[in-house]
Amino acid sequence: MRKTVLAALTLLMGVALAQAQSPSADELNRRLIQSRAVEAVIWGIPAVNTDLMRQEMLTKTPGKVGQVIYWGRPLDWHNQTLTPNPDALYFMVFFNTKDGPVVLDLPPGDANGSFNGNIVTVWQMALEDAGLLGIDKGAGGKFLVLPPGYTGSKPDGYIVLQSDTYGGYMLFRSNLKSHGNADVQAAIAYGKRMKVYPLAQAANPPATVFIDVKDVDFDSTIRYDASFFEHLDRIVQEEPWIDRDRMMIDSLRSLGIEKGKPFNPSDAMKALMSSAAKEGGAWLEAKYDAGLPPFFSPTSRWTYPAPPEVIKAYADGFADMNAYPLDGRGLCYSYAYIGIKRLGAGQFYTNSIRDKDGEAFDGGKTYRLNVPANVPVDQYWSVTH
């Protein structure tokens, strides 16, 4: 009898303890929302990265979608994009095909200049590379960006690019012969030979507007706070769902982001989103610190600029139905921007975040980089930090 009572008491105590330790329904929901918000950060970072740059243009410069902003001198601290390079002049144009196809009419490389360009969607999915080592092989050409679901005619004489989003942008790097003023002005003049206009106005294109933003504090670094989700909501409202991303519809709806509905999170939800954004950012930073695959040898400190599976996905337009490297893509767009169709053709990057002893670089120390003679370069090369 005593054993039976003791067993019963033990069972009751175990049930009570389990009930006390079980999270409430509210706590379970909070945990789910938090985890979904973290996943949304990792998934959404390429588009948020794009929108941050676009919003900087729209709010800090006179520039508009369909116009060209450019930096009229080699980049300096005023440009706080994620991978600025001081050895080419940057031109950037955001386009929107919601009202119809858009033409990016790009100049040939000649004695007066050359360029290296990339055309991407809002998700920074590479549509095509252009310039000396792009699809045009330096001949320039009229690149025609088509909107999602386009069924109209495709005129002859264009390099046709089918986009799965309405919005996107082009990064056009006008190559510099030197940082001297005459060469800078020549590179600006060359860049201004491009034209941007709707296909509907191709017979009589309007003049392209160019705006020098060299003195603007242009800061598009990722904000790992609740504002991240404001940018993400803007993308959801403006763009169609891509088939491969439809699994995010319910996840985002649980965060209050739903197509056709206002995004108005409560203070509690904003606090949760801010926490999730910080967590997502910390995870991406830890993944970056862990390092990318070595390039030269298994022990080399130099690595590829992005995970190989991401490079492959961008080259073939995510054609592999058994792969969708979201984590690697999120990592890439936490420290860089732009999508490249053929990495290694028009440009190639190697990356190192550690010294020869495997220690992280320290801004308070001095390092020496040994570069062999006769660097194999056709356009320009540089070291950035």
Side-chain angles (χ1 to χ4, degrees):
M1 181 69 176
R2 291 177 61 189
K3 289 183 178 180
T4 302
V5 172
L6 182 60
L9 287 173
T10 301
L11 179 61
L12 288 171
M13 289 175 63
V15 171
L17 182 60
Q19 289 176 339
Q21 291 177 339
S22 296
S24 66
D26 286 345
E27 174 61 16
L28 286 171
N29 187 61
R30 188 202 66 78
R31 293 182 187 179
L32 178 64
I33 297 301
Q34 173 92 8
S35 64
R36 284 181 169 179
V38 172
E39 288 292 339
V41 169
I42 297 167
W43 167 76
I45 202 168
V48 169
N49 188 317
T50 298
D51 193 58
L52 279 162
M53 293 187 290
R54 183 178 57 174
Q55 294 306 312
E56 284 294 285
M57 177 192 72
L58 293 174
T59 60
K60 290 187 177 179
T61 82
K64 297 178 175 62
V65 172
Q67 299 178 346
V68 181
I69 60 172
Y70 72 97
W71 283 263
R73 63 169 174 257
L75 298 185
D76 58 21
W77 64 269
H78 287 285
N79 183 298
Q80 293 293 317
T81 51
L82 291 183
T83 47
N85 191 308
D87 290 310
L89 288 192
Y90 279 51
F91 291 71
M92 178 181 280
V93 55
F94 291 88
F95 53 81
N96 193 311
T97 62
K98 190 162 284 188
D99 293 327
V102 170
V103 180
L104 305 171
D105 190 344
L106 308 181
D110 54 32
N112 295 311
S114 64
F115 77 95
N116 181 12
N118 308 102
I119 305 165
V120 300
T121 71
V122 158
W123 286 92
Q124 306 206 50
M125 176 62 218
L127 292 175
E128 197 49 84
D129 305 328
L132 287 181
L133 299 171
I135 191 172
D136 57 303
K137 303 300 183 185
K142 297 178 180 180
F143 290 76
L144 180 64
V145 184
L146 303 179
Y150 182 75
T151 58
S153 62
K154 300 174 183 177
D156 294 334
Y158 291 84
I159 300 170
V160 178
L161 309 178
Q162 177 63 65
S163 179
D164 55 13
T165 65
Y166 293 113
Y169 72 94
M170 176 179 66
L171 190 64
F172 178 108
R173 307 168 193 80
S174 183
N175 293 320
L176 282 169
K177 293 181 179 179
S178 78
H179 283 208
N181 184 63
D183 287 336
V184 168
Q185 295 306 313
I188 293 172
Y190 175 78
K192 287 184 176 181
R193 288 166 58 183
M194 82 167 80
K195 300 175 183 177
V196 182
Y197 51 86
L199 177 63
Q201 296 179 293
N204 186 26
T208 301
V209 175
F210 293 89
I211 299 164
D212 190 347
V213 298
K214 65 179 182 293
D215 294 319
V216 175
D217 293 344
F218 196 96
D219 182 5
S220 64
T221 50
I222 307 297
R223 278 76 156 164
Y224 292 109
D225 57 30
S227 69
F228 185 100
F229 297 90
E230 296 173 9
H231 293 281
L232 192 55
D233 176 69
R234 186 179 292 110
I235 298 299
V236 169
Q237 301 306 326
E238 293 179 352
E239 296 293 344
W241 279 103
I242 300 169
D243 280 347
R244 65 174 178 264
D245 288 329
R246 291 180 62 212
M247 75 288 187
M248 292 299 297
I249 294 175
D250 266 7
S251 290
L252 292 187
R253 183 165 54 190
S254 68
L255 304 178
I257 297 176
E258 186 174 0
K259 186 175 287 294
K261 295 188 177 181
F263 178 53
N264 188 26
S266 65
D267 290 342
M269 180 62 84
K270 287 180 181 178
L272 186 149
M273 287 178 167
S274 183
S275 173
K278 287 181 173 63
E279 183 178 335
W283 183 86
L284 290 166
E285 184 175 349
K287 196 169 180 65
Y288 178 79
D289 285 343
L292 293 163
F295 175 65
F296 292 108
S297 74
T299 59
S300 173
R301 302 299 178 194
W302 291 96
T303 70
Y304 288 98
E309 63 270 21
V310 177
I311 295 172
K312 178 181 181 299
Y314 269 59
D316 63 20
F318 290 94
D320 186 347
M321 296 300 291
N322 295 308
Y324 192 10
L326 285 179
D327 289 351
R329 187 183 73 173
L331 170 63
C332 291
Y333 289 99
S334 70
Y335 61 79
Y337 75 98
I338 203 60
I340 299 171
K341 188 80 170 175
R342 303 171 192 82
L343 184 65
Q347 62 257 76
F348 191 80
Y349 302 88
T350 57
N351 186 42
S352 179
I353 61 173
R354 301 189 183 281
D355 64 19
K356 62 183 178 64
D357 298 317
E359 300 296 326
F361 288 120
D362 184 340
K365 295 181 179 179
T366 299
Y367 299 89
R368 176 173 293 177
L369 175 65
N370 295 309
V371 180
N374 303 315
V375 175
V377 57
D378 291 317
Q379 299 186 91
Y380 65 89
W381 74 275
S382 63
V383 177
T384 60
H385 69 281

